Amino acid sequence: MSGRFVRASKYRHIFGQTCKKELCYDNLKISNNAWDSNLISANPFYLSVNWNSGAGGAIAVIPLENRGKLPDQTNLFRGHTAAVLDTDWNPFHDQVLASGGDDAKIMLWKVPEDYTVLEPYEDVHPVAHLTGHSRKVGHVQFHPVAANVLASSSADKTIKLWDCEKGIAHVSLPMNEICQSISFNADGNLLVSTGRDKKIRVWDPRTDKPVSVTNGHAGAKNSRSVWLGSLNRIATTGFSKMSDRQLALWDPANMSEPIGGFTTLDAGSGILMPFWDDGTNVIYLAGKGDGNIRYYELENDVFHYLSEFKSVDPQRGIAFVPKRGVNVAENEVMRAYKSVNDTIIEPISFIVPRRSEAYQSDIYPPAPSGKPSLSADEWFSGKDALVDRIDMSLLYEAKGPVSKTTAVKIPTQEVQKDADKNPIEVKPSKKLEPAGATPVQEKAAEDIPSNKKEEKELPKEEKKEIEQKHVQKEKKPEEDKVLPEHAIKSEKKAPEQEEVPVPIKALETKKGEIKEDVNDKLIKREKELSMSRMPTISSPEQEGSLSQKLEAIEKRYNEEMPIRDWKIAQLEEKITKLSETIDKQFSR
């Protein structure tokens, strides 16, 4: 025996898989700005792309289902007066996006309902902008736990912490040099940054002083940092003095030197962009200017090399989706979107191979749910909380990502003529979370207070008369019951004739009793359905208010509609694959 030991790991055989070109996003104009950023940001429903715009700065927002070649005239989000440098999606609202630009401004955007890039649409303008930086804003990142909290770094050598709802920066962290990267820890109570002065700083983001400062990578090129989630470790990528690419692991409690020293990877020239998956403890390293993505599993403070996704197409930008956006049914543990030649975005699925088609619970620990644990006021006042997590089996049952977003208030400023000056509530798109109440229901809800008021003002005698009439109506014979629409029309045509539909007859039992008429059953069922769709007030003793029932209906719709849309999308994809297979067989 050789005595060779193979390390046991559930993720040892993760492999990267691309899709066909027709399922990529083509005909893009990705920004050619030289600022070091990822150029792309992704969430379970949208992609945001820094756009190469001739006049000012622009962003292209692409719904993930809009695959294929985009129109030559792409719908854009316009508002910056200079190039857009970085974007980040709100983790608690899938339609809210933040952007930082070369014009020293931070913009907040809301994706319109039923937005698409396949049909002409008016340019979207920001709903708010945050001003406070004096030079270009290079990085923006939302807080992982508290709603409406945003961190931004600027060439003015500061990092600011914003309350997006109020539109103000509560804290400004001083940097000696331009910041190159920022990253929150899992609970958001610490922040790590790297800068041009080759220093790594760990901050308490609610104060203006660093917790610790240490020397980072010695090379002249940019370095990156990422907090390794719940493991309470920091990973950095950078260059040595000899321009070799390096990877390092740090303990925030002791930043004097990296754990195990600096690990040399290769002699590549492109900056390594690190992305951490807290569920699998795997870090993905994507190099700018090369097409490869290598990934390592962290175990016992050691990075174990797993494999490498290789491609001849180099990437300048890349983004990874949140965990609740992966395809659990296909054993996908992570998905990336990489740019190719600044004109194409290619999806890459990282899959754990399993023979069984059942849900693989061992490779899917609970993941962030997309629900905030704190408000901005609570967090800035000093409160801390753990990340709210979701059982990934729910994604398997729903056959796709389930939006757990909540209503997020953001400030509005007069950035366009019709902008509202008051704070607005950003609601999810009808496509993702459709509203359950119809205009008729909304009107009925508005009329509730007046109805209740009238009932209170009635004297006791009149109330008794109304109750007696109500009882008499219930005791009226069969012919006084509400009839279906077709029966009402027939009565209007010939009121003197009593028409009875042919299939509706009274059935006699052996004892001579008459069963309930079929027509009555239909009427009864119709009433039940109408009551379930739109409840009405029939008497003061009716249990529950109309508003509560409307909320219950809306909640049910919000849960069911995304599942239906996902199933439709899955069926369409299966039909496309089946048709391609059939075409191939016939071509042979």
Side-chain angles (χ1 to χ4, degrees), residues 439-449 451 534-536 546 550:
V440 178
Q441 292 171 334
E442 291 173 1
K443 190 175 187 308
E446 292 174 0
D447 295 337
I448 290 173
N451 291 341
M534 187 183 70
T536 57
L546 178 59
L550 290 176

Side-chain angles (χ1 to χ4, degrees), residues 2 81 90 119 164 239 327 353 371 465 515 519 523:
S2 63
T81 55
N90 191 322
E119 299 176 1
C164 294
F239 294 82
N327 188 348
K371 180 180 178 182
E465 291 179 4
K515 288 186 177 180
N519 191 27
I523 295 168

Side-chain angles (χ1 to χ4, degrees), residues 332-345:
E332 182 185 57
V333 292
M334 187 54 66
R335 189 190 315 137
Y337 293 90
K338 60 171 280 186
S339 67
V340 177
N341 300 323
D342 291 343
T343 58
I344 297 174
I345 292 180

Side-chain angles (χ1 to χ4, degrees), residues 561-579:
M561 292 302 289
I563 298 173
R564 189 203 67 177
D565 292 342
W566 178 261
K567 287 181 178 179
I568 292 172
Q570 290 292 312
L571 288 173
E572 289 177 349
E573 189 172 351
K574 287 181 180 179
I575 291 169
T576 303
K577 290 181 180 178
L578 184 60
S579 61

